[in-house]
Amino acid sequence: ETGVTQSPTHLIKTRGQQVTLRCSSQSGHNTVSWYQQALGQGPQFIFQYYREEENGRGNFPPRFSGLQFPNYSSELNVNALELDDSALYLCASRLDSEETQYFGPGTRLLVL
Amino acid sequence: AQTVTQSQPEMSVQEAETVTLSCTYDTSESNYYLFWYKQPPSRQMILVIRQEAYKQQNATENRFSVNFQKAAKSFSLKISDSQLGDTAMYFCAFTFANFGNEKLTFGTGTRLTIIP
């Protein structure tokens, strides 16, 4: 086990709604990253947070936003959901001292 | 921007045999890390092995080893004595070793099936 947890496991929303996905990292993992994995594809980087500040972003629109909290938990928020947002959302965290990212089990989001 | 290419969408091998998964990447940087992750049907992305670009010695982890060819920008994964539990999607991934630029760039994956 990686020590990274995510909730919920599955989620169904309708187009136009908003969703919040949650991640809990191990103590000391100051960096958390979020990835979107469409069916049959590799994960795509959404953004990264370090000590509660965003310090890297992939090619995703502003309706994808995040928060990181001092207790090593984090959130991914997606507004105005679109059908193409249906995917597996993964969070990953790492220690400052190493490059390896440890992944959670993901949240499967279906937008109808 | 860096890219990662996995040219084998699917592979299958008999249990106990050896299999090699291919990965090539493209970057102009010299300081980076490479990874192989395994994603079984349970969806959890699990680290298999990592390689620092500055190290010439190929990484090994039990039955898993890599062939890292920096000049050729090649990073293949060899699985020896394959087991049924090795059945999964395998992703090759790349990251820079610079603070604030640690995003992972993944390939499209290779679906590996171990046949009993």
Side-chain angles (χ1 to χ4, degrees):
Chain A
E1 295 299 321
T2 64
V4 181
T5 60
Q6 291 186 244
S7 62
T9 306
H10 297 85
L11 202 53
I12 300 175
K13 291 286 189 178
T14 56
R15 193 170 47 183
Q17 284 188 313
Q18 178 266 343
V19 69
T20 297
L21 310 182
R22 294 180 172 82
C23 173
S24 179
S25 305
Q26 292 187 60
S27 177
H29 284 212
N30 292 314
T31 300
V32 65
S33 302
W34 286 88
Y35 295 83
Q36 180 194 68
Q37 187 179 16
L39 202 59
Q41 301 294 318
Q44 297 291 316
F45 174 72
I46 301 174
F47 47 57
Q48 175 179 286
Y49 278 76
Y50 177 73
R51 293 185 184 271
E52 302 163 52
E53 293 205 6
E54 183 181 303
N55 75 336
R57 190 174 185 91
N59 189 25
F60 281 81
R63 59 189 185 84
F64 285 79
S65 63
L67 287 171
Q68 186 186 23
F69 303 100
N71 65 352
Y72 304 106
S73 65
S74 59
E75 292 180 353
L76 165 65
N77 299 289
V78 187
N79 293 323
L81 283 166
E82 301 177 359
L83 298 180
D84 285 348
D85 295 334
S86 295
L88 179 67
Y89 289 85
L90 299 165
C91 78
S93 66
R94 56 181 281 269
L95 289 166
D96 293 353
S97 58
E98 63 173 274
E99 299 302 323
T100 300
Q101 295 189 26
Y102 297 93
F103 283 82
T107 293
R108 174 79 66 190
L109 173 65
L110 177 61
V111 182
L112 301 175
Chain B
Q2 66 272 20
T3 59
V4 178
T5 302
Q6 294 179 251
S7 58
Q8 305 152 313
E10 293 189 27
M11 295 187 71
S12 60
V13 65
Q14 293 288 136
E15 190 176 6
E17 290 187 347
T18 295
V19 61
T20 299
L21 309 183
S22 301
C23 172
T24 59
Y25 59 94
D26 188 24
T27 182
S28 56
E29 297 289 329
S30 60
N31 193 17
Y32 51 86
Y33 294 82
L34 294 162
F35 304 87
W36 280 97
Y37 280 92
K38 165 186 176 181
Q39 189 177 40
S42 65
R43 306 178 327 203
Q44 181 107 38
M45 195 77 75
I46 301 165
L47 176 70
V48 175
I49 199 166
R50 59 174 263 172
Q51 174 81 43
E52 294 89 340
Y54 64 85
K55 289 186 177 179
Q56 293 186 341
Q57 187 173 6
N58 289 325
T60 62
E61 286 287 341
N62 301 313
R63 298 183 295 108
F64 300 88
S65 61
V66 299
N67 183 4
F68 174 48
Q69 302 289 327
K70 190 172 184 179
K73 297 181 182 176
S74 171
F75 182 61
S76 61
L77 173 70
K78 185 172 81 171
I79 306 174
S80 303
D81 185 27
S82 57
Q83 301 174 359
L84 297 179
D86 296 334
T87 292
M89 283 291 290
Y90 285 81
F91 291 97
C92 178
F94 169 106
T95 188
F96 290 116
N98 303 321
F99 176 74
N101 196 14
E102 303 101 338
K103 71 170 186 177
L104 284 167
T105 298
F106 287 86
T108 51
T110 296
R111 183 176 303 279
L112 176 65
T113 302
I114 308 300
I115 303 168

